[in-house]
Amino acid sequence: MDAHLILEACEIIGALTPLAGDCGALCGAACCQPDEDGQGGMLLFPGEAEMYRGEKGFTLVDSPHGTILVCEGRCSRANRPLACRMFPLVMLLRPDGVKIATDAAAQSVCPLARQGKSALSQDFVAAVRQAANLLAQDDQQAAHLRRLTDMQDELKALRAQYRGRKEHV
């Protein structure tokens, strides 16, 4: 898969970030830190893995959902994968079109994700939406967006299931 669509999507988002300032200052750049097992990372879009294969500071990990890029916690902002550039948002593909949402998985890491899209720069949200519309035009990228949508739906269903359940200690 040619990575030209990914590069174009990254260009659309450009230097826009969730906040006007460095949002990493709020949380100690929690989104850039590997988890306690040295894992974590970002799920790559189709065609992105080849861009990072052999790159110093990055490890590619196969998962049931696709390839995950794990970094050492620091990279050139210009070399970030698309998922990092749009964090804490996620692109969804619903029957009625492309949607942008706060990533349910990001809520455990990112204080902004807990506040929702309205707390983010609206220029940033609009750019992520524009990038998603571009990707949705490609069959392979659209299939990836549907997988992301299914994963988000599963996470939300799990949260709802456990919120309704009372824990006894």
Side-chain angles (χ1 to χ4, degrees), residues 41-134:
M42 295 303 229
L43 183 62
L44 296 178
F45 282 74
E48 261 188 313
E50 289 309 313
M51 297 165 61
Y52 294 96
R53 200 166 309 284
E55 284 285 318
K56 186 177 179 189
F58 296 105
T59 304
L60 296 170
V61 179
D62 289 328
S63 83
H65 301 290
T67 304
I68 296 174
L69 182 74
V70 179
C71 74
E72 295 174 349
R74 295 220 180 271
C75 71
S76 161
R77 289 188 69 77
N79 198 27
R80 292 174 301 150
L82 182 56
C84 288
R85 292 169 191 261
M86 61 188 215
F87 190 84
L89 299 177
V90 63
M91 300 171 175
L92 307 175
L93 189 54
R94 300 279 182 203
D96 61 341
V98 169
K99 305 292 180 196
I100 302 303
T102 304
D103 188 338
Q107 292 178 9
S108 63
V109 174
C110 178
L112 297 175
R114 290 180 221 121
Q115 295 180 28
K117 285 189 309 191
S118 62
L120 306 180
S121 158
Q122 293 308 294
D123 289 340
F124 172 72
V125 175
V128 172
R129 182 176 289 109
Q130 184 181 351
N133 282 317
L134 170 73

